[in-house]
Amino acid sequence: MLENFNSLSRLLNILSDGCFHSGEELGYLLGVSRTSVWKSLGHLKNLGVSLVSVKGRGYQIPGGLDLIKETELLNYLQLHNAPEINLHVHSLIDSTNSFLLNSEELHQHVSVAEYQSAGRGRRGRAWVSPFAQNVYMSIGYSTTEGLRQFEGLSLAVGLAVVVCLERFGISGLQLKWPNDILFRGKKLAGILIEMRGDVMGDADLVVGLGLNYRVNDPVTAMQAVDRPWADLHEVVTQLDIALTSRTELIAALIAALHELLQNFSAKGFEHYHAQWMKHAAYLGQSVTLEGPREVFQGVFLGVNETGSVRIEIDETEKVFHSGDLSLRSVL
Ligand code: BTN
């Protein structure tokens, strides 16, 4: 298995240059038979890697792959004042959130992956995670203060991601309550926060972020995604700016979330409220708020200073606290 896994990673490294490589050359470089190369290429396709084969030329990943570079990532973290982070870079994993939740120690540990076989989204959904095309990362934080101090954290995480992207010139992003990040109404990123431990005392938090970066083969790779989505490549193309490397972006995101987690419990959501409202999607628009049992319809008024959603229904303002709700605009 390990041998398989290693040769898969090596194969990906070779093909990541976007050039054609013949089966013979790949077999020679990996020290394996052509049949074994062919099988590995099949595995790559199953991981969502878009692979082209042309008779007489060999195999190619069109546009190449921007693989996460661990050493560079560690160097960036030093530059971004986050040297205390314990970094785990995985080629393949079930879920970066699960990896941290299953670890004994997770404080200031970060798990980043090229591929998730069982990526999880909010409300029990799956998070589609094709290989080396997006960002899948989780950061752990342990507290002795209980979880009450973290009310509104998930909204502040969305804001921290938006502010981080703005530093790269990426403007026009919006926050859809509680924490989806939208570009022109399409979902660019999602956040899943999971917790373990005591609500009043020792507890661990895992903040997971999935951000669409550059999907090579949207039809195959994202066919299971049932809502309009955007990737960062599309965003920068529309804004006519350059796309930052995945490694640099991941480092900046880790540093931004690390800083937020260090400050949040002292400041509370109140500190981030005004800035969150500036980025709020659907303000003053007709929306529905879907819960497990009920659907409410009204006008979206934003959030209050604890992060609860405010909706005007029949000229009366109602406030909803639960995280298990989904907001949608009524077009
Ligand atoms: C959402 O439904 O919008 C939340 C998506 C969160 C996905 C990320 S990807 C990294 C981390 N690991 C997971 O399994 N989920 C989160």
Side-chain angles (χ1 to χ4, degrees):
M1 182 65 200
L2 188 66
E3 199 186 296
N4 247 336
F5 178 74
N6 278 339
S7 58
L8 217 57
S9 291
R10 281 164 56 215
L11 178 61
L12 274 162
N13 270 315
I14 301 168
L15 289 168
S16 67
D17 64 5
C19 300
F20 275 100
H21 297 272
S22 70
E24 197 179 351
E25 178 199 348
L26 293 172
Y28 172 75
L29 291 172
L30 298 171
V32 297
S33 69
R34 285 185 66 172
T35 317
S36 151
V37 168
W38 187 76
K39 275 193 191 155
S40 299
L41 291 167
H43 285 311
L44 293 191
K45 279 197 169 165
N46 292 338
L47 296 180
V49 175
S50 74
L51 201 61
V52 165
S53 72
V54 174
K55 222 172 166 199
R57 297 190 72 189
Y59 304 92
Q60 180 210 31
I61 297 175
L65 285 177
D66 174 15
L67 296 173
I68 301 166
K69 296 168 190 77
E70 188 167 350
T71 317
E72 237 176 71
L73 188 46
L74 286 166
N75 290 338
Y76 277 128
L77 288 178
Q78 299 276 346
L79 286 176
H80 285 288
N81 299 324
E84 59 275 47
I85 291 290
N86 290 292
L87 187 65
H88 308 264
V89 179
H90 322 268
S91 287
L92 314 178
I93 193 114
D94 52 353
S95 144
T96 55
N97 266 30
S98 305
F99 173 82
L100 291 184
L101 285 168
N102 294 330
S103 314
E104 216 165 284
E105 163 81 42
L106 58 71
H107 187 59
Q108 296 186 339
H109 282 247
V110 168
S111 162
V112 183
E114 297 284 16
Y115 176 83
Q116 297 185 119
S117 58
R120 286 182 283 119
R122 281 184 73 233
R123 308 181 88 215
R125 290 209 174 93
W127 187 257
V128 176
S129 311
F131 193 94
Q133 297 171 48
N134 297 328
V135 171
Y136 319 114
M137 56 176 268
S138 304
I139 178 163
Y141 186 83
S142 302
T143 176
T144 51
E145 302 166 358
L147 294 170
R148 279 199 65 162
Q149 317 292 326
F150 292 90
E151 193 175 22
L153 174 69
S154 81
L155 281 75
V157 169
L159 178 63
V161 172
V162 167
V163 170
C164 176
L165 293 173
E166 283 174 348
R167 289 201 197 108
F168 291 99
I170 297 157
S171 55
L173 299 179
Q174 285 195 305
L175 288 162
K176 175 167 97 70
W177 185 89
N179 51 21
D180 283 357
I181 295 167
L182 307 181
F183 179 71
R184 301 189 180 162
K186 297 189 287 185
K187 183 157 168 171
L188 176 72
I191 289 148
L192 176 69
I193 300 190
E194 296 180 285
M195 295 157 189
R196 67 178 187 199
D198 192 342
V199 182
M200 305 295 282
D202 291 353
D204 296 316
L205 293 160
V206 170
V207 175
L209 167 70
L211 183 146
N212 302 327
Y213 177 80
R214 183 177 188 166
V215 180
N216 294 332
D217 182 3
V219 178
T220 324
M222 302 289 272
Q223 62 182 343
V225 181
D226 59 358
R227 308 237 164 120
W229 58 272
D231 65 9
L232 209 57
H233 179 253
E234 174 189 337
V235 176
V236 298
T237 307
Q238 302 268 340
L239 298 175
D240 200 19
I241 56 174
L243 183 62
T244 312
S245 83
R246 223 157 46 102
T247 303
E248 187 177 357
L249 183 70
I250 290 170
L253 288 166
I254 293 173
L257 296 184
H258 176 54
E259 192 190 334
L260 173 73
L261 286 168
Q262 280 178 312
N263 294 325
F264 187 83
S265 65
K267 293 184 170 169
F269 180 68
E270 200 185 334
H271 177 80
Y272 304 91
H273 175 252
Q275 220 185 343
W276 194 94
M277 286 293 286
K278 277 194 192 148
H279 291 88
Y282 312 151
L283 260 190
Q285 293 179 23
S286 272
V287 292
T288 57
L289 194 64
E290 240 181 82
R293 281 176 298 277
E294 262 181 296
V295 180
F296 302 92
Q297 184 159 350
V299 175
F300 182 57
L301 302 177
V303 296
N304 66 15
E305 298 206 331
T306 63
S308 297
V309 62
R310 298 168 51 216
I311 309 256
E312 188 185 290
I313 303 172
D314 298 331
E315 290 175 21
T316 307
E317 182 177 327
K318 292 229 161 87
V319 175
F320 298 85
H321 310 277
S322 158
D324 196 20
L325 293 167
S326 176
L327 186 80
R328 295 205 192 176
S329 95
V330 180
L331 296 174

